[in-house]
Amino acid sequence: MSRFWSPVVSGLTPYIPGEQPKTLDLVKLNTNEHPYGPSPRALDAMRGALNDTLKLYPDPDSTRVRESAARACGIRPEQVFVGNGSDEVLAHAFFALFQQPRPLLFPDITYSFYPVYCGLYGIDYRTVPLDEQFRVNVADYAQPNGGIVIANPNAPTGRVLALADIERLLQANTDSAVLIDEAYIDFGGASAAALIDQYPNLLVVRTLSKSYALAGLRVGFALGSEELIEGLDRVKNSFNSYPLDRVAQAGASATLDDAEWFERSRAQVIAQREALVAGLQARGFEVLPSAANFVFARHRQRDAAEIVTGLRAARVIVRHFKLPRIAQFLRISVGTEPQHARLFAALDHVLGATAGVA
């Protein structure tokens, strides 16, 4: 607390990101980073951008990135907004679209940054419970609202909504903006970008941090009608006209254009996810169906906190949310085959020989 703070600051509850340990000798499966490296074309493009032009400001409109994102998603550049990571894109969307007389709706178990944005911008919100299988029921959102936010696939559960369900959600809420947060969509779902031309109230938010293996670059983008994109641009240009530097723009454009690398890399992650699920189930875990690059699992007999502590002692870290309804679940990022081998060995030690693979 400080007497110099603005009144709103003392009431904020900031988002707490996943741990970023300083030591390297860890199996880090806690923040859903891509287990393999970025596109070589992206790395080459960024090296090429390290030249004398860094003395100049970058393109404030990130034109090349918008054009590449539009090609990758099958829409027009005018329907793309680019920001410094999807968290900034989401923040601008909350400010631009959801300061409404009626409450914003989102699931009770979802990305924990959503209520943080609401606190920062003074947005009234209401959470809608997931069902007993941790699924979103779109019929539950047929109530007065000032907007809807759905992460698809949801985080931390990993469950995905079909495109037909999203369309029903849009059809039932034509007078408010509907934001679909697709940070993980490339690992097992159909993007709602296909619906943008039909529904002017739809905003789709994407990131290069997950399926494009560029979490360290901080590039995100939104897809939507030109009127929604204009709203985001107005907020961005009232906050920071130059959110993406020259190096980030070069790398982002190159990776979005590298379709061959993207498909090959995505397939690797999906294959490793299935191996991770099988290994966890063999060790007594219940694993929710996942369309993301992580799984959400709980052991049928052992306490989640106990497992986390044991894994930590073996230098394996996963994410544990000590929250109602999900306190016994662990969110485990998909890793490489060697990382999974270390995870499974640590679990066998923690759970005991009788809980090992049959």
Side-chain angles (χ1 to χ4, degrees), residues 17 31 130 159 177 217 238 280 296 312:
T31 50
L130 300 177
R159 303 205 71 142
L217 200 62
S238 301
L280 291 171
F296 206 49
R312 182 83 190 200

Side-chain angles (χ1 to χ4, degrees), residues 161-223:
L161 270 178
L163 203 56
D165 290 319
I166 292 174
E167 189 159 18
R168 283 198 293 273
L169 183 71
L170 290 161
Q171 290 169 346
N173 294 278
T174 56
D175 294 328
S176 56
V178 175
L179 188 157
I180 305 298
D181 185 354
E182 292 187 343
Y184 302 100
I185 195 67
D186 294 321
F187 298 113
S191 175
L195 303 174
I196 285 171
D197 287 334
Q198 298 171 249
Y199 299 96
N201 61 326
L202 169 63
L203 189 74
V204 176
V205 176
R206 305 289 299 273
T207 180
L208 300 190
S209 296
K210 309 301 182 183
S211 56
Y212 289 94
L214 287 173
L217 200 62
R218 311 311 303 132
V219 178
F221 56 97
L223 314 170

